[in-house]
Amino acid sequence: MSLCWSPDSNYLLVGSKDLTVRLLSVRKLEGFNKPFMFLGHRDVIVGAFFSVDKKTNKVSRVYTVSRDGAIFSWACSDAGDKVDGLGKEGRASEPPSPGTPENVDEGGGAGIDDNLKKRKEFDGKDEGLDEEKSEFLLHRLKWELLKKDYFMQAPAKLTACDYHKGLDLVVVGFSNGVFGLYQMPDFVCIHLLSISRQKITTVVFNELGNWLTFGCAKLGQLLVWEWKSESYILKQQGHYFDVNCVAYSPDSQLLATGADDNKIKVWTVSSGFCFVTFPEHTNAVTALHFMANNHCLLSASLDGTVRAWDLFRYRNFRTFTSPSSRQFVSLTSDQSGEVICAGTLDSFEIFVWSMKTGRLLDILSGHEGPVHGLMFSPSNAILASSSWDKTVRLWDVFEGKGTVETFPHIHDVLTVVYRPDGKQLASSTLDGQIHLWDPIEGLLMHTIEGRRDIAGGRLMTNRRTAANSSSGKCFTTLCYSADGSYILAGGSSKYICMYDIVEQVLLRRFQITHNLSLDGVLDFLNSKKMTDAGPLDLIDDDDSDREEGIDKQMQGKLSYDLPGAIANQGRPVIRTKCLRIAPTGRSFVAATTEGVLVYSMDESFIFDPTDLDIDVTPEAVDAALNEDQPSRALILSLRLNEDSLIKKCVLSVNPADIPAVASSIPFRYLQRLLEAFADLMEGCPYLEFILRWCQEICKAHGSSIQQNSRNLLPAMKSLQKAITRLHQDLADMCSSNEYMLKYLCSATASMKK
């Protein structure tokens, strides 16, 4: 349940569900390996911590925290008692643990003498014991219970705790969303506040101890709080039910997600932070679509509404409804953004609205099953729809001709997508095949067999192996690449498959998770868990319906607490519900049971371990310059954010080395570097040198600059302004010089005459 290292890393405190805390020695010493046990708690141990004396920098106390809200303070005897405990011959005594009977040697004194001889021999062979004697062998000392304190939050259970050695502070979180901050060893309450109505899953101090981080797994909540000023540093909350749909903005900088918690969240892709949440829907959000102007987001929901959201003012400015209540599961709009179409789950119809007026223009009927796929052709005004009635239909919405063409399939059609050039149409069916159609000629071009590719992972309820099972071997979401050369496919599996369009071959499989707590990750189940009554994991043998202060996921609540989960004791089934490729083609996103996963070819999404280096000083920058390491020197100066150092490093680079240095700059420092270029442009005489820098930066990071143009816009405008001003000055100078030269030439010619 909990682990804590001593400051010298020689001892380990281990708390467990058996209500005990053990003090273990990492070093193996003969006869000295028996751990000390801290007893007395009446519930599961949540945390155990060493307290260090600030003067001697040695362990002076131990704090143990249990789930029932009790904290015990333990201290060992003074130094004199510790020396006596080792005995005259250097033999460590064996003090009894509190609450346990003393060890009595029933065999007389022989056992003691033998033990004494062994320890004497050991003392002569290894000097390590002498070192341990000076440290008094923490696990062999007699620890005494000083006092018991209680947090008094019953009936709530204590679910998380942390301790800061430098400030001697303890922070605890409870199952009712309350947290408390206490000064030890006097147990003085500094703060007692409520941040949520759900269980606080984890709480951690930062290194300095001035910030507290709280996590709530049930709500997907992350909070960073400064306890001295009582203010929030960071507040982020994800979806706490399954994410059903995702959508990229046209510039690939924003990502919208809709989920079963009735909420829509818009995230910044580069930072991964959510900046707005729309909670107006009253049922699960099933489809999202960005308009071409990048400032409007459309959403469809099972509550019978399609809503339009303004991303400037963060409000719902238009709501589209049907004459009678319907459940919408698919959504699209034409290239001009004038027409909105949504497919239904219950009436099998497609509703068409005007974006400007919000009026219902038409109702397209003809499908005999739920319409789960809708998409307008990128090249013309033809609408493609897919349904469980085993057909894909093309509609001419503007001419009002109804169905233009029907593509029949053998099995139910799950989704349909157009290639970006509009010359190909892909549909997936229930038998695991992907059909590629020519929408102009109405011919089937190719078929991709994907049953074996997506197969993998066996559910606990499956009676057949993963290889022989036919359930779930189909693609429920498809997405073409930006250039239309490959297609991504995902479904009720742990894999996302990438296929080449021309050769119809599997290029790569992405495994979205290795989390064994999700059902369908393992290919082979453990046969030892199979009993006469069925799989052991499906047998509810728990006596209690409450654990850690939270109602367990009961059978009747699964449809509410875990959407899409089958009767497997609340274990979610791994699946991919939605796939989208960024318009830039540099990344794609997958909405899965594990969460929203972003795969990218850009290094800006990769963690840079150099940020962990603490030796970032002006001296280090000068040393790098002296060692002829311009790239390292420039990065160090950017991390220091010293303007003079940055300009010094930029000007010290050899012109021949500019391309190599520019490509090595991490994307996160581009904004600061561009600002430095703008300043140098105005006061630096080396105009060509700085322009060469700008050119190489654009070559090396052009795609990243385009994707993050919003964040880099101020720096880019400053640079453009400086270049424009210099260009104007040079143009004026050249014009005046040109006229002057013409005058001098004409004057010279006239003088010769």
Side-chain angles (χ1 to χ4, degrees), residues 29-30 32 118-126 129:
L29 301 175
E30 187 177 352
F32 292 85
K118 290 180 181 178
R119 291 177 181 172
K120 282 183 178 180
E121 293 174 359
F122 183 77
D123 291 340
K125 291 179 182 178
D126 197 343
L129 183 59

Side-chain angles (χ1 to χ4, degrees), residues 268-315:
T268 304
V269 177
S270 58
S271 65
F273 286 147
C274 172
F275 64 89
V276 64
T277 301
F278 299 117
E280 277 79 358
H281 280 296
T282 58
N283 209 328
V285 181
T286 54
L288 292 171
H289 181 77
F290 266 100
M291 302 293 284
N293 59 11
N294 205 48
H295 309 312
C296 176
L297 175 67
L298 299 175
S299 64
S301 171
L302 296 180
D303 62 4
T305 62
V306 173
R307 296 176 183 266
W309 310 91
D310 185 352
L311 295 184
F312 279 154
R313 299 175 179 85
Y314 302 143
R315 64 186 181 92

